[in-house]
Amino acid sequence: MPAILAEDLTKVYVSHQREPGMLGAVKSLFVRRNKEVLAADRINVSVDGGELVGFLGPNGAGKTTTLKMLSGILHPTSGRAEVLGYRPWERRPEFQKQFSLVMGQKNQLWWDLPAEESFLLLKELYEIPQSDYQKRVREMTKMLEIDHLLSTQVRKLSLGERMKCELVAALLHRPRVVFLDEPTIGLDVVSQKRIREFIALTNRQEGATFILTSHYMDDVRALCERVVIIDHGRVIFDDALSRLVTQFTHTKQLRLTFSVPVEDSEISCFGKLTQREALSAAVEIPRELAPKVAAEMLARLPVVDIEITDPDVEDVIRDIFQRKETAPTVAQEEAV
């Protein structure tokens, strides 16, 4: 049985609309207009135990809504979901002790207390044995290089230090499923790298299942072999990260280095010129023609080095989001 299963999981938000001003307020007492927004549209995802899956999409795509349903914060409008065999929104204590949710823009630690005080509270809530608790805190804080900060008020920590403490708090009870929503948002590159290493090690050593949302492709490339892309509330891709480029692009990049200067016209006849410097250039060509075009360039141009590459994953994902049509009409207004 998969650790996480969602079948046709759907969430519709309803908001009340009224005209501005006093007159609008009075009218809304008698005629109220509702607007329905489809935040998650029949999401189907299955994640096996021990997987580390990237959950990607632009702002407003429905990623956080989906995580909130899978963690039991939100009740779905329709559909089915199971996490570790439980329906999350039933919020059973035995389920809540087996998962964790980390949201990069929200804190679970007490702001005016040292982090270690919040850790002690969580120890009691999750009924963690004292010996296991001490060992766990010692290992994780040393790994994240924050062991010297435990007695410092959370409000006095930097953003990166707070995020590391949040991760320790979330993983104290050894959860079997961890939802990470933008855990590295706003952090410097050093903190991002340290957190990525910590997540990868925890996943590998403890076999916990992770779902990670992030706008930083370095996070995804470093951690996730599989990605799920969601846009306008729908899953549009669910496969290995390595297959993303081949599915959504039909081109290759040829990067050339010349021994002597070459005219643009001599290069552009082979394909679309995407980059140009004095003794180098990059050309975009159809994927299936790459070997043939490369051979022709070597024969006809003063090439000293040639490299055939796929488009960058980050560029591919950006192109997917940009070329998607305007969201389908999911908002419906009706008089009540």
Side-chain angles (χ1 to χ4, degrees), residues 254 270 285-300 306 308:
L254 268 63
F270 292 99
I285 59 173
R287 180 181 298 275
E288 65 276 7
L289 298 179
K292 178 182 177 181
V293 172
E296 290 181 2
M297 285 182 161
L298 287 169
R300 295 168 51 184
I306 185 168
I308 303 176

Side-chain angles (χ1 to χ4, degrees), residues 16-288:
H16 304 304
Q17 306 290 302
R18 71 173 179 84
E19 298 176 13
M22 183 61 70
L23 181 59
V26 173
K27 284 183 178 180
S28 68
L29 295 175
F30 303 96
V31 179
R32 176 172 290 181
R33 302 183 68 84
N34 290 339
K35 181 179 180 181
E36 294 185 352
V37 179
L38 189 57
D41 185 9
R42 300 187 300 278
I43 299 292
N44 289 279
V45 174
S46 178
V47 180
D48 291 332
E51 276 196 275
L52 204 167
V53 178
F55 204 49
L56 312 180
N59 291 330
K63 306 184 300 298
T64 300
T65 295
T66 302
L67 292 191
K68 286 182 176 179
M69 287 190 287
L70 292 175
S71 59
I73 295 175
L74 293 177
H75 195 293
T77 304
S78 63
R80 170 175 171 261
E82 287 188 2
V83 178
L84 301 174
Y86 298 92
R87 284 190 291 184
W89 46 89
E90 291 181 351
R91 302 180 184 177
R92 296 184 179 179
E94 57 268 32
F95 165 65
Q96 292 179 318
K97 289 184 177 181
Q98 298 186 68
F99 86 95
S100 213
L101 171 64
V102 179
M103 304 185 74
Q105 301 185 59
K106 293 187 177 180
N107 299 323
Q108 65 172 322
L109 301 176
W110 288 80
W111 188 250
D112 292 312
L113 295 178
E116 60 186 355
E117 297 291 340
S118 293
F119 295 165
L120 285 170
L121 175 61
L122 292 169
K123 167 187 174 295
E124 298 302 324
L125 288 174
Y126 289 110
E127 300 176 337
I128 304 172
Q130 179 67 19
S131 58
D132 188 34
Y133 166 77
Q134 291 177 337
K135 179 182 178 183
R136 188 77 168 154
V137 171
R138 184 170 57 252
E139 291 176 347
M140 290 195 293
T141 55
K142 184 177 181 180
M143 192 184 310
L144 288 168
E145 298 179 343
I146 54 171
D147 47 323
H148 62 292
L149 298 172
L150 297 186
S151 59
T152 304
Q153 284 179 299
V154 171
R155 62 196 298 267
K156 294 181 180 179
L157 299 176
S158 70
L159 179 59
E161 292 166 345
R162 290 203 304 272
M163 195 63 241
K164 292 175 183 178
C165 289
E166 292 283 348
L167 282 172
V168 172
L171 298 175
L172 267 179
H173 60 293
R174 301 182 186 274
R176 294 172 57 194
V177 171
V178 183
F179 301 106
L180 300 174
D181 190 22
E182 302 283 358
T184 60
I185 188 169
L187 304 188
D188 62 80
V189 292
V190 176
S191 295
Q192 289 178 16
K193 183 175 184 294
R194 178 63 64 185
I195 286 175
R196 285 196 294 266
E197 292 171 346
F198 177 73
I199 292 170
L201 185 62
T202 302
N203 171 249
R204 185 168 61 252
Q205 290 186 343
E206 301 184 6
T209 304
F210 284 81
I211 289 188
L212 166 73
T213 77
S214 179
H215 287 296
Y216 298 122
M217 283 310 301
D218 285 343
D219 290 350
V220 179
R221 279 190 290 259
L223 295 171
C224 307
E225 293 184 0
R226 172 188 170 196
V227 295
V228 175
I229 299 180
I230 184 172
D231 194 28
H232 300 317
R234 295 182 179 179
V235 174
I236 61 173
F237 179 83
D238 182 357
D239 209 332
L241 180 61
S242 59
R243 296 180 185 173
L244 178 67
V245 174
T246 57
Q247 179 167 328
F248 284 94
T249 65
H250 305 286
T251 62
K252 288 272 192 178
Q253 289 278 342
L254 268 63
R255 301 185 181 277
L256 309 157
T257 303
F258 306 110
S259 58
V260 296
V262 177
E263 294 293 330
D264 287 357
S265 58
E266 296 181 76
I267 307 170
S268 59
C269 64
F270 292 99
K272 181 181 177 182
L273 190 61
T274 59
Q275 184 180 335
R276 187 71 169 99
E277 294 182 11
L279 292 176
S280 65
V283 180
E284 185 179 271
I285 59 173
R287 180 181 298 275
E288 65 276 7

